[in-house]
Amino acid sequence: MTLLPTIRRLSTGVGAMAVLTTPLAAQPATTAAAAPVAPGIESANFDTSVRPQDDFFRYVNGSWLKSTEIPADKPRYGAFDQLRDESDAALRGIIEQAAAATDAPAGSDLQKIGDYYRAYMDTTRLEQLGLTPLRDELARVRALDGQAGIPALAAHLARIGVRAPYGVYVRQDLKDATRYVAYVGQSGLGLPDRDYYLKDGQKFDDARAAYVTYMTALLRAAGDAQAEASARAVLQLEHALAERQWERVRLRDPQAGYNPHTLAQLDTLAPRLAWSSYLTATGTAESPTFIVGQPDYLRALDAIVAATPVETWRSYFTVRLLDAFAPYLNRSLADAAFAFHGKALTGVEQQRPRWQRGVNAVEGAMGMLVGKQYVAKYFPPAYKAHMERLVDNLLAAYKAGIDQLDWMSPATKAQAQDKLAHFTVKIGYPDKWRDYSGLEVKPGDLVGNVIRSNQFDWEYMVDKLGEPVDRTEWGMTPQTVNAYYNPVMNEIVFPAAILQPPFFDPEADDAVNYGGIVAVIGHEVSHGFDDQGSQFDGEGNLRDWFTAADKQAFKARTEALAAQYDALAPLEGAHVNGHLTLGENIGDLSGLSMAYKAYHMSLGGREAPVIGGLTGDQRFFIGWAQVWRELNRDDYLRQRLLTDPHSPAMYRTNQVLRNMPAFAEAWGVKPGDGMYLPPAERVKIW
């Protein structure tokens, strides 16, 4: 469901910056690869036939890019994906050990983990059951006898994990972060983005055709004798929804998406959506207010509800139900889901191994339960202490950097420093683990377990209404290879699983760690000051704390950065959207700049040693580039360009570095080189 921005993901002492006493000359590429290198630098991945001054991404990662094939079960492959595979393998051991313990006490952690996984892996039983586990839910959809029944059906389906054209969600009030409120927003499309319905071109035609084929298979399995005609009617309905939904750049504006409504105002906005009964059925009726993300969409949806025949609505909800549960049903439906979501949309050739999908299913149902065991086995306390020191250094660099900004007034600097002082840092795992005692898991009942898990999560969410905000809560599990910033909590969070090479290695050279994990820390801190995060204050409230002149200066810089990325096209005719990716690009540029400052502060005025022919600054930038090694299938990359707020990996390396004078100095970049950007065109924000 599309609502408002929440967490901003990565996938990511005070002092003056030390002045180096001698210039840093570029080292010959052949020397860098041939000589011994610093711990943490993966020199086997270098391509020394590429000049670092022309394409630093390929210089650092080129041999890896040439020798690596994207696994047949993945749409992309890179450092993140390698760590995710390692995390899954570690979890497999934990989960399969639980599954082997068939005598675990009822209600215990082992029983829940083991029974859930065994039910997923029992494909013989899934074949025997067919659609039987969804019999009651399909009957509920078939019983829809008029548009007036849509709100009740949508409310029920929301509780069990099925999307509708609109939905409700509980989280902190963006303008009063001390309380929870209900948000209402657009949702319900089966294709990845509204553009898949609205854009012309062969790739979009192919995606729509594949969607019709997939929906036809789902509807036929549900007994629809006119399955293809029904599927085309659903596509037409979703096209009408897509025409009125907000596009992704507009959705990034938290002010535009903050529209408080009373219940009476909701009824006036979209009377056919029966708000009183819908909100009561979802458990959100007691919200002190209702924040509508896209009021004009809900107004249009009200008319679409009336204009669309009930037969089409029944087909639509049947598709949404079966699509949500296809991975947990028999092979024919699971394969149909993969053929559409995997092969047609992203170019993936085969499904992931059954065990890996089972591990991910258990994680989806009880991630923190598994995470507690993961941390005990795989995350040494020393890692957390090391990370805390690096975070402290990064925050000190940011504090110094804010004071040194030449475009910001003292009044706004004071507000920025106040926000920085209120940052919360969470590393590794939560201090308080979630309680799963209320979750019932039954042996041999996969679909039932998924439904009960979704209901359990729904109740966990709506029960927050009227309660104090829980600032200990985590939005990711410890085994997640990622990191995030949450503006309403004003917090940065680093799960245990990302604290591994190439991001973080306690045995690595400091320069490499500063270019890797400290830059990742800086990326997340910078989200607090990007084009979205800068609209929230230190308490997590959506509040304008810039002076008018500073806001104009900030916008001039961010617009210049957006224009740089707009010009980049990784595929013919497919450009990066500089405004969709703006927040992440700010995070990359500012995060790496602050990590560089922190690295030099850590030297305490000393000059970094040359190791393996590489200066400290050169090792720092290599640390950054090797984090982003990645390959993408073209279909998946094309989807990401439309939907992903992150730029492709090669630009997260090269375009960021082109804006940094320190990089040009470290590697001797000159006019005419591929990595050269004239000083007047370089962007510095934080």
Side-chain angles (χ1 to χ4, degrees):
M1 176 170 55
T2 306
L3 294 169
L4 298 174
T6 50
I7 62 176
R8 305 296 303 284
R9 295 175 172 82
L10 181 73
S11 131
T12 105
V14 184
M17 182 174 70
V19 178
L20 300 181
T21 57
T22 56
L24 298 175
Q27 302 296 316
T30 52
T31 301
V37 294
I41 288 181
E42 301 179 51
S43 57
N45 292 334
F46 287 12
D47 182 352
T48 57
S49 69
V50 177
R51 295 177 68 244
Q53 296 88 354
D54 287 330
D55 187 338
F56 198 68
F57 177 74
R58 291 194 175 276
Y59 168 69
V60 173
N61 301 305
S63 291
W64 183 90
L65 295 171
K66 291 177 182 178
S67 63
T68 302
E69 292 187 7
I70 302 174
D73 62 350
K74 290 179 171 58
R76 72 171 193 188
Y77 195 62
F80 281 90
D81 307 282
Q82 288 175 296
L83 288 187
R84 285 173 186 137
D85 283 347
E86 292 174 14
S87 177
D88 284 351
L91 293 173
R92 182 185 188 181
I94 293 169
I95 291 170
E96 289 189 346
Q97 184 176 7
T102 55
D103 58 348
S108 66
D109 293 355
L110 281 180
Q111 178 266 315
K112 291 174 181 177
I113 294 171
D115 280 346
Y116 203 107
Y117 185 72
R118 281 196 302 272
Y120 189 94
M121 299 301 290
D122 190 353
T123 55
T124 300
R125 178 168 174 77
L126 295 180
E127 291 301 317
Q128 293 169 345
L129 290 172
L131 283 180
T132 302
L134 285 178
R135 178 179 52 205
D136 292 345
E137 300 302 336
L138 287 167
R140 187 187 298 267
V141 173
R142 285 194 295 269
L144 181 68
D145 59 1
Q147 288 86 343
I150 288 175
L153 180 60
H156 169 77
L157 292 176
R159 285 181 170 273
I160 68 170
V162 180
R163 292 178 296 126
Y166 67 112
V168 64
Y169 187 83
V170 173
R171 70 173 189 191
Q172 285 167 268
D173 189 333
L174 295 190
K175 293 194 175 182
D176 182 359
T178 65
R179 68 176 187 174
Y180 293 110
V181 295
Y183 289 80
V184 181
Q186 66 189 38
S187 184
L189 301 181
L191 286 164
D193 184 75
R194 67 190 295 272
D195 284 352
Y196 276 77
Y197 298 87
L198 308 180
K199 281 186 174 291
D200 296 325
Q202 189 61 49
K203 289 295 182 181
F204 296 107
D205 291 342
D206 291 346
R208 291 189 286 266
Y211 187 35
V212 169
T213 298
Y214 175 48
M215 289 192 291
T216 299
L218 296 179
L219 292 165
R220 187 172 289 128
D224 187 340
Q226 306 295 325
E228 184 174 352
S230 298
R232 295 191 181 282
V234 172
L235 181 65
Q236 185 177 3
L237 167 58
E238 292 188 14
H239 184 278
L241 299 175
E243 285 184 311
R244 305 310 296 266
Q245 290 195 353
W246 288 18
E247 51 88 25
R248 289 180 185 259
V249 172
R250 189 180 181 192
L251 289 169
R252 295 190 71 253
D253 184 348
Q255 292 284 1
Y258 189 89
N259 304 285
H261 282 61
T262 64
L263 180 58
Q265 289 170 328
L266 284 174
D267 284 333
T268 300
L269 179 67
R272 292 182 180 87
L273 301 185
W275 292 102
S276 180
S277 60
Y278 171 79
L279 296 169
T280 299
T282 58
T284 59
E286 299 305 313
S287 176
T289 187
F290 303 95
I291 312 299
V292 176
Q294 307 85 28
D296 53 343
Y297 168 75
L298 288 184
R299 190 177 297 109
L301 175 60
D302 193 76
I304 292 171
V305 166
T308 304
V310 68
E311 294 83 2
T312 300
W313 281 116
R314 283 196 291 264
S315 298
Y316 170 84
F317 284 113
T318 299
V319 167
R320 294 276 64 79
L321 173 66
L322 291 180
D323 180 45
F325 285 93
Y328 313 108
L329 295 167
N330 57 22
R331 181 172 179 175
S332 64
L333 288 177
D335 286 352
F338 168 74
F340 171 62
H341 291 292
K343 192 169 186 178
L345 293 181
T346 68
V348 174
E349 298 168 9
Q350 67 184 43
Q351 295 203 61
R352 291 173 299 160
R354 184 79 187 179
W355 72 262
Q356 196 166 25
R357 287 179 278 154
V359 164
N360 294 159
V362 173
E363 275 201 278
M366 54 194 91
M368 285 297 182
L369 204 60
V370 181
K372 187 176 182 180
Q373 298 186 44
Y374 173 87
V375 165
K377 192 170 183 178
Y378 294 105
F379 189 66
Y383 281 27
K384 187 168 186 173
H386 194 151
M387 276 291 296
E388 287 170 345
R389 290 194 296 273
L390 293 176
V391 170
D392 287 344
N393 292 347
L394 187 283
L395 293 177
Y398 224 115
K399 180 177 175 63
I402 290 172
D403 284 342
Q404 294 165 5
L405 290 176
D406 59 4
W407 59 268
M408 183 177 282
S409 69
T412 304
K413 285 181 181 179
Q415 292 285 324
Q417 293 286 14
D418 179 75
K419 179 167 187 175
L420 187 68
H422 282 86
F423 261 68
T424 297
V425 181
K426 297 177 179 177
I427 297 172
Y429 52 89
D431 295 327
K432 181 178 69 176
W433 294 97
R434 183 177 171 186
D435 179 10
Y436 286 85
S437 59
L439 174 62
E440 182 182 18
V441 176
K442 296 181 180 180
D445 185 18
L446 178 58
V447 169
N449 290 336
V450 174
I451 289 175
R452 285 185 290 274
S453 169
N454 290 339
Q455 290 172 324
F456 180 74
D457 285 342
W458 188 269
E459 294 302 324
Y460 178 79
M461 177 184 69
V462 300
D463 283 349
K464 294 177 181 179
L465 287 171
E467 297 297 319
V469 169
D470 181 5
R471 293 190 170 270
T472 69
E473 186 177 26
W474 277 51
M476 284 180 180
T477 64
Q479 62 270 28
T480 302
V481 182
N482 215 323
Y484 70 87
Y485 170 74
N486 184 350
V488 289
M489 289 283 202
N490 195 28
E491 65 181 9
I492 50 175
V493 183
F494 300 91
I498 199 173
L499 304 179
Q500 303 180 65
F503 297 94
F504 170 64
D505 181 353
E507 304 301 321
D509 168 55
D510 269 0
V512 180
N513 271 335
Y514 273 89
I517 195 61
V518 179
V520 169
I521 297 167
H523 172 102
E524 299 305 335
V525 172
S526 296
H527 276 318
F529 302 94
D530 67 16
D531 62 315
Q532 285 185 313
S534 62
Q535 299 181 59
F536 293 81
D537 63 21
E539 301 297 330
N541 296 310
L542 184 60
R543 179 177 67 83
D544 188 359
W545 48 271
F546 275 62
T547 67
D550 290 343
K551 186 183 296 185
Q552 185 176 1
F554 179 73
K555 186 172 179 61
R557 284 161 173 75
T558 60
E559 286 297 312
L561 191 64
Q564 287 185 13
Y565 283 82
D566 276 338
L568 304 174
L571 298 172
E572 185 177 354
H575 282 249
V576 176
N577 185 330
H579 287 90
L580 175 62
T581 59
L582 182 56
E584 299 298 334
N585 298 335
I586 293 171
D588 286 343
L589 175 57
S590 300
L592 187 62
S593 298
M594 289 299 105
Y596 180 79
K597 182 183 288 291
Y599 171 57
H600 278 271
M601 289 173 63
S602 76
L603 295 174
R606 302 181 304 276
E607 185 171 343
V610 174
I611 303 176
L614 297 169
T615 67
D617 278 19
Q618 289 174 330
R619 300 194 304 276
F620 171 86
F621 291 116
I622 289 171
W624 172 253
Q626 66 188 15
V627 162
W628 299 113
R629 62 175 181 262
E630 181 180 281
L631 293 165
N632 287 269
R633 299 186 189 278
D634 285 355
D635 286 342
Y636 180 64
L637 181 54
R638 187 172 283 103
Q639 181 184 135
R640 287 183 63 187
L641 291 172
L642 289 175
T643 64
D644 194 342
H646 303 84
S647 296
M650 72 283 279
Y651 304 136
R652 299 190 76 170
T653 302
N654 287 353
Q655 195 60 27
V656 169
L657 297 178
R658 295 179 76 219
N659 281 287
M660 292 188 64
F663 173 79
E665 183 180 355
W667 289 96
V669 178
K670 297 179 174 58
D673 292 339
M675 294 295 297
Y676 182 76
L677 192 65
E681 297 178 20
R682 294 171 187 163
V683 174
K684 177 185 177 183
I685 302 174
W686 292 97

